[in-house]
Amino acid sequence: MNVKKLLTRNEFFDRDIISVSQFEQCDIEFIYTLYVALKECRGKGVRLLKDKVMAALFYEPSTRTSSSFIAAMTLLGGGVIPITQGVQFSSVTKGENLSDTVKSLEQLSDVIVLRHPEVGSAEIAAQISAVPIINAGDGIGEHPTQALLDLFTILERLDTSVAVPKDLLTVAMIGDLRYGRTVHSLVQLLPKVFRHIKFTFVSPKVLKMPDNILAEVDSYGIEYVETSLLDFHTPDIFYVTRVQKERFTDKKKYQSLKDTYCITEDDLKLIKKDAIIMHPLPRVGEISPEVDRDPRAVYFEQVGNGLYTRMALLLAVLYRGKK
Ligand code: NCD
């Protein structure tokens, strides 16, 4: 499929990407179609953003999100302002606020990819900025681009499309559901595609899914169970997360929680043959390295899919497409 041709029906031009709540099923379908086309050509020969610049403004550490956005923009022929090696090397250390930083970067770039520790920061930046903002994680809020790449990985593994509803899908989300922004986004995105879905939220009580997110799940009329016990037999998808160390002021509390769950090679015997094991990474002990060899482990595949997802999003936001 020709990428340029697909972009003639682009509705995303000049839009911010802040939350999964902004996506309709047809939007997801459009981004997924672009993603598939980009993956087919391995991202080569689509240098459609030659005169564009992406600012990557990361106030929190990142390996995969920042590098896949930079690789995506590079493959699309664009330039990058990388403020990803820690804002300590930028004027933020001198006390500059988010607003002034955004107002300056909008003068120099066509899109700002923002990761910031505060919930709602991407939304605030979008109100200030004249160029589109892409939320690369706003504290414990959301991580919409991760949720899209997670969804696309699931669709590929299930060999299904956005439009085709699957039979009942059981998804276990495991670990730090309170502070983990990836699960906050994914849990709201999946029901837009999978109408027959059931969630099991597996966490220690203190790290349970926040009530506002549960209310969202309820609003879809979707069934869920909250538990601290991990059942290996039922889920089709295991979405494992680390306990978010940086959100704890009490480090002893973190230490007491961090090793609650660990998927080991022995557990693999118990899970379904066609289940998949996902993780947004980084992992710090939730999945033992021996599990990596199992074909059901898809977390490094997720990283690769992040490249095409971010290429699709950058094209959608920056390439007008329509005549
Ligand atoms: C996640 C994040 O930053 O929220 N990482 C990522 O972007 N892949 C998950 C995490 O840090 O635990």
Side-chain angles (χ1 to χ4, degrees):
M1 189 79 80
N2 184 299
V3 172
K4 211 166 163 178
K5 202 164 156 202
L6 287 173
L7 284 161
T8 54
R9 47 184 191 92
N10 184 16
E11 303 284 340
F12 276 89
F13 180 69
D14 210 25
R15 269 171 64 180
D16 304 296
I17 307 287
I18 305 296
S19 158
V20 295
S21 63
Q22 74 191 81
F23 300 129
E24 306 280 336
Q25 186 173 345
C26 58
D27 298 324
I28 301 168
E29 205 168 344
F30 174 71
I31 301 290
Y32 186 57
T33 313
L34 262 180
Y35 160 92
V36 170
L38 288 160
K39 194 167 177 177
E40 254 166 36
C41 64
R42 295 181 41 249
K44 311 289 184 218
V46 274
R47 297 170 66 82
L48 296 173
L49 300 182
K50 270 185 203 145
D51 55 352
K52 303 286 184 192
V53 173
M54 174 190 88
L57 178 58
F58 280 62
Y59 289 77
E60 283 188 340
S62 167
T63 301
R64 282 146 287 266
T65 307
S66 57
S67 45
S68 60
F69 264 112
I70 292 171
M73 195 59 180
T74 308
L75 283 170
L76 292 167
V80 175
I81 302 172
I83 310 179
T84 54
Q85 299 306 313
V87 281
Q88 67 267 30
F89 298 116
S90 76
S91 287
V92 169
T93 348
K94 300 178 190 166
E96 184 166 67
N97 62 26
L98 177 64
S99 168
D100 286 0
T101 307
V102 166
K103 278 193 212 153
S104 302
L105 288 174
E106 74 177 19
Q107 299 291 325
L108 311 170
S109 62
D110 301 283
V111 62
I112 300 172
V113 177
L114 175 69
R115 171 169 287 187
H116 192 277
E118 273 161 44
V119 177
S121 49
E123 178 68 54
I124 291 168
Q127 281 160 17
I128 297 164
S129 175
V131 300
I133 298 288
I134 300 181
N135 183 4
D138 61 330
I140 62 167
E142 276 216 46
H143 196 346
T145 70
Q146 176 75 38
L148 284 170
L149 78 86
D150 292 336
L151 167 65
F152 297 168
T153 304
I154 294 169
L155 289 172
E156 281 181 348
R157 278 291 180 134
L158 297 181
D159 200 15
T160 188
S161 73
V162 177
V164 181
K166 249 308 259 169
D167 299 337
L168 180 67
L169 193 69
T170 307
V171 181
M173 293 188 164
I174 304 147
D176 188 346
L177 309 183
R178 176 177 182 186
Y179 296 125
R181 55 192 169 206
T182 61
V183 284
H184 297 168
S185 285
L186 188 59
V187 78
Q188 297 180 74
L189 186 66
L190 289 177
K192 294 180 190 252
V193 173
F194 298 103
R195 307 285 171 211
H196 308 289
I197 196 165
K198 199 175 152 188
F199 289 113
T200 309
F201 299 133
V202 187
S203 74
K205 257 210 168 79
V206 286
L207 297 180
K208 75 186 266 310
M209 193 66 93
D211 289 342
N212 63 317
I213 308 279
L214 292 177
E216 284 297 325
V217 180
D218 275 331
S219 73
Y220 286 103
I222 291 202
E223 218 184 298
Y224 64 82
V225 177
E226 293 184 278
T227 173
S228 57
L229 296 174
L230 176 55
D231 150 43
F232 286 99
H233 297 95
T234 332
D236 301 298
I237 297 171
F238 293 82
Y239 194 94
V240 188
T241 62
R242 77 181 165 99
V243 176
Q244 307 277 298
K245 183 181 182 181
E246 64 276 34
R247 311 295 176 207
F248 286 79
T249 40
D250 181 350
K251 295 300 168 199
K252 275 205 194 110
K253 185 98 202 153
Y254 165 73
Q255 286 299 334
S256 72
L257 291 165
K258 80 180 204 354
D259 299 320
T260 313
Y261 304 103
C262 176
I263 299 193
T264 65
E265 211 172 9
D266 283 344
D267 300 326
L268 294 174
K269 295 179 198 116
L270 308 175
I271 76 171
K272 285 181 182 170
K273 294 267 170 298
D274 56 355
I276 55 175
I277 306 167
M278 307 182 76
H279 195 305
L281 301 178
R283 67 174 153 183
V284 285
E286 311 79 46
I287 301 178
S288 48
E290 295 74 41
V291 174
D292 301 1
R293 290 192 293 264
D294 193 284
R296 291 168 290 184
V298 302
Y299 25 94
F300 291 110
E301 202 171 300
Q302 284 169 261
V303 180
N305 292 342
L307 173 67
Y308 305 110
T309 305
R310 280 145 186 158
M311 283 182 85
L313 288 168
L314 287 170
L315 276 173
V317 168
L318 292 176
Y319 191 82
R320 186 183 289 274
K322 282 187 177 148
K323 305 252 154 45

